[in-house]
Structure formats: C-alpha cells, structure tokens
Amino acid sequence: MQCIDCGEKWTEQPIWRCPKCDGLLEIKFKLSAGDFDLKKARKQRLNLWRYADLIPAKKNVSLNEGGTPLYECKNLGRELKVKLFVKNEGANPTGSFKDRGMTVGVSKAIEFGKKITTCASTGNTSASLAAYSARGNLKCVVFIPSGKIAYGKLAQALIFGAKVISIEGNFDKALEIVFKISDGEGIYLLNSINPYRLEGQKTIGFEIFDELNHTPDRVILPVGNAGNISAIWKGFKEFYELGIAGEKPKMTGIQSEGSKPIVNMFKNKKEYIPEKNPETIATAIRIGNPVSWKKAINAVYESNGYMESVSDEEILKAQKLLSRKEGIFVEPASASSIAGLIKLIDKGIIDKGEEIVCITTGNGLKDPNTVVDSCKNEIIYAKEEDVENLIKKL
Ligand code: F0G
C-alpha cells in the first residue's frame, strides 16, 4: 500500500488513509511485460476472478461478479456518429459495479479476521455490501441519507439483513459518521476509500480490453464518490505496463449539475471546493464532497480525459434514449454517461468516429419510481371498447 501524497509505503493491513499524512492509499504492484498471461486467463470464463493473478486477495466470498456484457450500440452510435459500446455493470449480481469491489473487499475483511463491515451509501454500495457480508457470515451496518435512496436499493440492504441506519442529512454527512465509527480493529470500512475495493473495480478496465481485444479511444462514466474512475484507469494502466495493451483511453467523468465539485475544479483550473448542498435526481451520485476527488482528477489529467456535468433533464432524456434505441435500462446516475457523451459531441470535445465505451453502472430496476414519474403521462387508460381504435392508431 502506498500513499498517493507522501509516497510512504505500508504493508497490507486494514487501514484506508496514510497513517503519516492522512493521504489516500493505493495498492501498487511492480509489473513488467509478461507477468500476466492473458491468453491463459482467457481459458477461464469471463468474470472478475479470471484476473486473480492481478488481484491482491484470496477469493473468500463471491457471487460470480463481473463478466458483464459489452454491447455494441449501433442504433445510437449511428445517430451520434461514433462507435459506441455500453459496458452494462447493471448485470452484476446485485445490479451494480459495486459487486466487483465487494467480492475483493469482503474477501479481505475475512482475511483480516473482521466480524463487522460498514459503509455510508447512496444505495448501491449498501446493497452490495449487505449481500456479500451475508454470504461471508459477517455482520453489516450501513448508513444511508434519509429519504434520498432509491427504493430497490433500500429493499436490497434490508432483505440481505444489514442494519440500516438512516441519517438525517446527505451522503457526505453519513460518510463523516462512518469514518468516526470505523476503526480498522473491529469494524471494517468498505467505502471506496478502501483501496481493496478499487482492486476489484479495476477489472472493468481489464474486461473492456479483453472483450474488444484493443483499447477504446475513450471511457465515459458517472462520478460520485470518485473511486470508480480511478479504479478503471488503474486497470487500463496495469494492462499497459504489462505490455498487453499498447494504448490507454481518455477517462471522461460525468457529474450532475447540482453536485459537480470535480467538474468545477477541472474547468476553472482551481483548487478543490466541496459542494455544500448537492442535489440531483440521480441520487446515486448526489455527493458534494467526493472522498477520492484527488485520485479522480489525477486519472482525468493523466489520461488526457475530460470532466463534464449534465442536468437532470439531460439525464432522464438519455435514460429513455438508451432504453428505446438499444433495450438497455439503466438507473439515472448511469444514464449520465450517455447524457455526457451527447453533450461532449455537441460541444466538439468528442470527435466524430471515436470509439467510446460508456459504463452504465447500475440497473434501471433499482429506481423504478423515477421512471414511472417521468413516463406516466405515456400510459393510456382505456375501456375495452376503445382498444380496437387505439390499436389502429399505433
Ligand atoms: N453510478 C452508480 C449507479 C453509483 O451507485 C455510484 C456510486 C456511482 C455511479 C459513482 O461511483 O462513487 O465510484 O464515483 N454510488 C455510491 C454508493 C456512492 O453509495 O452506492 P463512484
């Protein structure tokens, strides 16, 4: 483990900040060409543990995460004049990319002899942690912002038997509280500040390369607490260092207009200023003070990428578009990657003909209420005798 600020190295242990300077920690490998045999790995089925040699944990708990579909989206791609793929992380066992982090993170909790896991969450992290803790026979306590979590996610945390603590305040407040109660001794913190989480999530980068057999020009994804963008970047960098990939993609992060501290920093070339009152319909990324902002901005700068924000209206429009053009139903936060793609094409930041992978991070069924609210005027209420006429007008 190495601190991204002071560079101090630490042996593997249940810590998530540098004991010397409080900086973020990263798991570092010394990699050189030939250290990982992709051809051999490909003999195993496509899922996260295909890359076990590059994951610093033993598989103690798994629900067969990863191996998610990479769809070529020809209908939408033709319209936008780009070669578009969607990596649908909503196809993971609990319906989001968090499962990749949790199979590794909870396996690590077991390795460290922990009995209780915890996290603060806008919903998906808590759903995933609750499931993996149940399967690993660990107790789990999750902190959620009161009233601002999609119902599907709340249902998951409850049914998997986590203790659900609803905090008055937003995600940032819940995260402050969880930092206070996690001590590394008894209670193991599994927010994405935990560097082992990111070791699981980096496999999104591995899989994209593995499936395409080359590196795309650009990867676009929603940014919330800012762990995933740096995790995926780490995956692409490791394949590059191993000599498997010849290129690296431009990492492009999307925040919502009501909570965009990293976009502000990127666009204004200013220091990082948290957003006090984050607001967006995409509750998964309703985060004003993303804990891994520094890792995220590093990924964007190092990869020559971009940060953009999108409005709630643009998010809902993109959610509908992806569903109706490609048959892929994703939650609002995930649709922000498509909304961001459209905006960056309009602005001329993305070139026509680029090959792009949008990551759709969570399943649409997580948040049915938002969809029904936005589409309910499309329902046709009819009596039996009206039906024939209605069908003729289709
Ligand atoms: N998309 C979805 C569906 C998410 O649930 C999250 C984060 C993100 C994107 C952003 O990822 O935080 O790594 O930048 N959800 C967290 C949670 C915060 O608690 O479920 P990030």
Side-chain angles (χ1 to χ4, degrees):
M1 299 172 107
Q2 187 169 25
C3 174
I4 69 160
D5 284 334
C6 74
E8 189 76 25
K9 291 181 184 149
W10 305 92
T11 52
E12 285 204 272
Q13 52 183 303
I15 53 170
W16 41 88
R17 281 208 184 267
C18 174
K20 198 169 133 195
C21 78
D22 215 33
L24 297 170
L25 295 169
E26 188 176 46
I27 312 286
K28 283 264 185 168
F29 299 91
K30 256 202 192 104
L31 296 173
S32 35
D35 280 353
F36 178 74
D37 189 345
L38 183 60
K39 231 190 197 161
K40 203 171 118 210
R42 278 176 172 159
K43 296 206 171 98
Q44 293 177 45
R45 71 177 260 228
L46 179 70
N47 78 15
L48 177 143
W49 290 100
R50 173 187 273 196
Y51 313 102
D53 288 351
L54 297 171
I55 295 172
K58 212 170 94 233
K59 179 164 90 171
N60 288 321
V61 50
S62 169
L63 287 160
N64 286 341
E65 44 295 311
T68 54
L70 181 72
Y71 297 116
E72 184 172 0
C73 294
K74 287 194 175 154
N75 297 332
L76 204 47
R78 204 179 304 117
E79 215 166 90
L80 299 172
K81 298 190 176 59
V82 290
K83 192 164 169 69
L84 177 63
F85 291 86
V86 161
K87 177 75 169 156
N88 191 20
E89 287 295 292
N92 272 299
T94 76
S96 84
F97 70 97
K98 308 285 179 178
D99 296 342
R100 294 181 188 266
M102 292 310 175
T103 183
V104 176
V106 176
S107 286
K108 218 61 201 176
I110 293 169
E111 199 177 306
F112 287 138
K114 301 295 155 206
K115 299 282 178 266
I116 308 173
T117 60
T118 193
C119 71
S121 180
T122 56
N124 282 321
T125 301
S126 56
S128 182
L129 182 60
Y132 283 81
S133 299
R135 199 161 166 87
N137 292 312
L138 301 176
K139 283 191 181 146
C140 174
V141 50
V142 302
F143 293 80
I144 56 166
S146 123
K148 292 287 183 180
I149 142 167
Y151 245 51
K153 304 173 189 180
L154 181 58
Q156 287 177 295
L158 290 167
I159 201 71
F160 290 132
K163 231 184 221 2
V164 176
I165 302 182
S166 180
I167 295 293
E168 212 176 292
N170 57 27
F171 169 85
D172 304 296
K173 182 76 204 164
L175 191 62
E176 267 173 40
I177 293 171
V178 94
F179 281 149
K180 283 187 198 145
I181 63 125
S182 311
D183 51 17
E185 297 297 321
I187 305 187
Y188 193 53
L189 177 73
L190 273 161
N191 276 99
S192 59
I193 192 171
N194 182 321
Y196 292 108
R197 275 268 316 268
L198 305 186
E199 290 303 299
Q201 291 170 210
K202 75 182 179 185
T203 59
I204 296 176
F206 294 165
E207 278 184 21
I208 291 172
F209 180 90
D210 203 344
E211 286 168 280
L212 288 176
N213 216 14
H214 62 259
T215 308
D217 296 316
R218 188 183 295 272
V219 172
I220 307 181
L221 74 156
V223 170
N225 210 21
N228 207 27
I229 188 166
S230 60
I232 297 174
W233 176 234
K234 189 172 193 280
F236 280 111
K237 271 198 306 190
E238 287 183 2
F239 264 21
Y240 183 81
E241 284 160 29
L242 287 161
I244 295 170
E247 273 125 345
K248 291 173 273 183
K250 295 184 172 83
M251 299 303 298
T252 301
I254 310 297
Q255 293 189 296
S256 75
E257 261 170 21
S259 47
K260 55 175 174 76
I262 305 176
V263 175
N264 290 341
M265 185 185 183
F266 176 79
K267 292 207 171 160
N268 306 332
K269 306 258 173 305
K270 276 211 189 114
E271 80 270 29
Y272 169 75
I273 305 167
E275 165 67 55
K276 278 209 183 69
N277 297 304
E279 210 42 85
T280 168
I281 200 161
T283 51
I285 53 169
R286 184 175 169 267
I287 296 176
N289 189 13
V291 72
S292 296
W293 64 267
K294 203 180 260 182
K295 281 188 179 176
I297 200 83
N298 287 348
V300 172
Y301 285 143
E302 279 172 38
S303 68
N304 198 20
Y306 205 81
M307 286 295 306
E308 186 55 273
S309 62
V310 289
S311 67
D312 284 359
E313 203 185 330
E314 288 165 325
I315 289 173
L316 292 177
K317 219 168 131 194
Q319 186 188 31
K320 232 181 229 183
L321 194 68
L322 184 63
S323 297
R324 293 179 184 190
K325 292 272 173 201
E326 301 291 350
I328 304 169
F329 178 28
V330 305
E331 68 165 284
S334 307
S336 70
S337 59
I338 301 292
L341 166 70
I342 295 169
K343 196 160 192 174
L344 292 176
I345 291 173
D346 283 350
K347 283 184 159 185
I349 306 279
I350 290 180
D351 295 329
K352 298 256 148 64
E354 265 192 44
E355 185 178 78
I356 292 161
V357 176
C358 284
I359 318 271
T360 52
T361 43
N363 196 299
L365 290 170
K366 294 264 191 180
D367 187 0
N369 302 53
T370 304
V371 176
V372 175
D373 280 351
S374 77
C375 296
K376 64 174 175 251
N377 59 355
E378 296 177 25
I379 302 173
I380 300 163
Y381 295 91
K383 295 205 178 75
E384 191 176 353
E385 56 266 32
D386 305 329
V387 171
E388 206 174 318
N389 253 343
L390 286 168
I391 298 298
K392 276 188 200 146
K393 281 195 223 144
L394 276 183

